[in-house]
Amino acid sequence: MILLSASVVFIALNAPLLHGFSAFPSSSKRRSLARLQSAQPSDSADSYDEFFGSPDEVETTGYDSRDFVDKAKMALTEAVSAGLAEEDVRRLVGDLETSGSQASVGGESTYSGLLAGEWELIYTSEDDITRSSPFFWAFRQAFPQESDQIFSITDSIPAPIKEVGPAYQTITIEDDSSGTFVSRVKVATLGGVATSIMTTRATVIAGDGRDGIKIRVDTTKPEESTILQKLGPLGDFIGSNSPPFPSGDSLEKVVKGSSEVVIRTTFCDENLRVSRNDARYNDIYVFKRKSFQGVFDV
């Protein structure tokens, strides 16, 4: 079983090796994507209370409920940019979810119409940025015992041999809660000499409660390979005609239903989104909006 699972994940993720580079995730235990953008820790605050204020201070500010949500959003984004500890970020995420619920802001993401659009990942509590892709969520469901062992192999590849990020998600939602979901993660190797966009395409099957969507993973493919681009028209032909790996069907052959995952979004407004893997609810993903649905092509 371990050999079978290894073959599936390596075919899906390491197809770029055929193009002359490795598409392994980053090995460093980055929690905040801001560090990939050379953000430095803040000199003005290095703890939760310095960013957000103590509970007593919050009670006496006189803010209305919407102001409190705005303050919670600002505190969370600042904490992510400054690279605060995971414990502090989790506390801020919890405060945003609570304040949003109390103010009736950012909730019921399944029906609010705000979930659709293009989003950039700015924080994950996972060890690696690539885990924001639903392919990895589905893979864990197909191989619950072996997945962490396999992931640790790719995680051990050090920088600067490979770097991962940024990561984007593009979501379209129709009136019946169906739609499309595209995850794109940039993978660079050899100091950026070779790059590719590891792209997982999925289908939004339906809503799942008031704050969730169920999606089915369909395919995974490295796109926009700089190695292929150097080949000119031939590279363009190879890239456009290379079929994607049928990752969803492959996982279904191992465990029926494993290709379907639920994305639970606990806060989503015009510019910020907090989502969780319903099967691993403790994992947190924070996104900032790049555009709304209808402004871009999937």
Side-chain angles (χ1 to χ4, degrees):
M1 179 62 75
I2 186 67
L3 293 178
L4 175 59
S5 40
S7 66
V8 172
V9 73
F10 275 94
I11 290 174
L13 299 181
N14 298 337
L17 287 171
L18 300 176
H19 301 157
F21 67 101
S22 171
F24 291 111
S26 173
S27 62
S28 58
K29 304 301 183 182
R30 292 187 179 91
R31 303 287 193 221
S32 169
L33 298 195
R35 298 181 186 178
L36 293 180
Q37 303 167 352
S38 300
Q40 298 299 318
S42 170
D43 292 330
S44 60
D46 57 6
S47 70
Y48 169 92
D49 287 340
E50 287 181 83
F51 268 110
F52 198 71
S54 67
D56 291 340
E57 291 173 339
V58 172
E59 291 295 331
T60 58
T61 56
Y63 279 44
D64 64 28
S65 57
R66 179 65 206 221
D67 288 336
F68 188 68
V69 173
D70 290 339
K71 185 177 182 182
K73 287 170 56 180
M74 181 178 297
L76 175 58
T77 55
E78 289 180 353
V80 168
S81 296
L84 257 64
E86 179 182 348
E87 178 183 356
D88 292 325
V89 176
R90 284 187 176 278
R91 188 176 175 186
L92 289 166
V93 167
D95 285 336
L96 176 59
E97 293 169 336
T98 299
S99 61
S101 176
Q102 293 174 344
S104 298
V105 174
E108 300 193 357
S109 58
T110 304
Y111 307 108
S112 68
L114 294 173
L115 186 61
E118 184 178 27
W119 300 89
E120 180 179 357
L121 183 70
I122 62 172
Y123 176 85
T124 175
S125 60
E126 287 261 46
D127 288 340
D128 193 278
I129 300 164
T130 58
R131 305 297 189 269
S132 64
S133 170
F135 166 78
F136 287 93
W137 301 12
F139 186 84
R140 277 179 167 139
Q141 293 184 157
F143 303 104
Q145 303 300 321
E146 301 95 334
S147 57
D148 287 341
Q149 178 182 347
I150 294 173
F151 295 163
S152 68
I153 297 174
T154 60
D155 290 350
S156 66
I157 307 299
I161 296 177
K162 54 87 175 73
E163 293 284 350
V164 182
Y168 298 93
Q169 292 182 352
T170 303
I171 306 171
T172 65
I173 302 291
E174 305 299 333
D175 292 339
D176 61 355
S177 296
S178 66
T180 61
F181 186 101
V182 182
S183 169
R184 296 183 174 92
V185 183
K186 183 178 180 179
V187 179
T189 61
L190 303 177
V193 173
T195 65
S196 180
I197 308 298
M198 297 304 299
T199 304
T200 293
R201 298 182 182 274
T203 299
V204 179
I205 302 173
D208 189 277
R210 294 182 176 275
D211 61 356
I213 56 172
K214 178 179 288 187
I215 69 172
R216 181 183 64 246
V217 173
D218 296 322
T219 63
T220 304
K221 180 182 179 180
E223 299 179 346
E224 301 179 26
S225 166
T226 56
I227 296 298
L228 288 181
Q229 291 172 6
K230 293 177 181 179
L231 299 178
L234 175 60
D236 293 338
F237 177 81
I238 295 174
S240 60
N241 288 278
S242 299
F245 176 72
S247 48
D249 288 344
S250 298
L251 294 173
E252 284 291 319
K253 292 177 181 178
V254 179
V255 175
K256 188 173 180 58
S258 61
S259 68
E260 298 181 2
V261 299
V262 173
I263 301 174
R264 194 68 61 190
T265 298
T266 53
F267 183 89
C268 181
D269 69 357
E270 295 81 1
N271 47 42
L272 197 67
R273 168 182 146 221
V274 176
S275 290
R276 297 169 181 264
N277 179 353
D278 194 53
R280 290 168 55 96
Y281 196 77
N282 202 41
D283 296 339
I284 297 173
Y285 307 89
V286 181
F287 296 83
K288 67 177 181 180
R289 188 185 297 277
K290 301 294 290 183
S291 65
F292 286 88
Q293 180 173 328
V295 184
F296 50 87
D297 296 326
V298 177

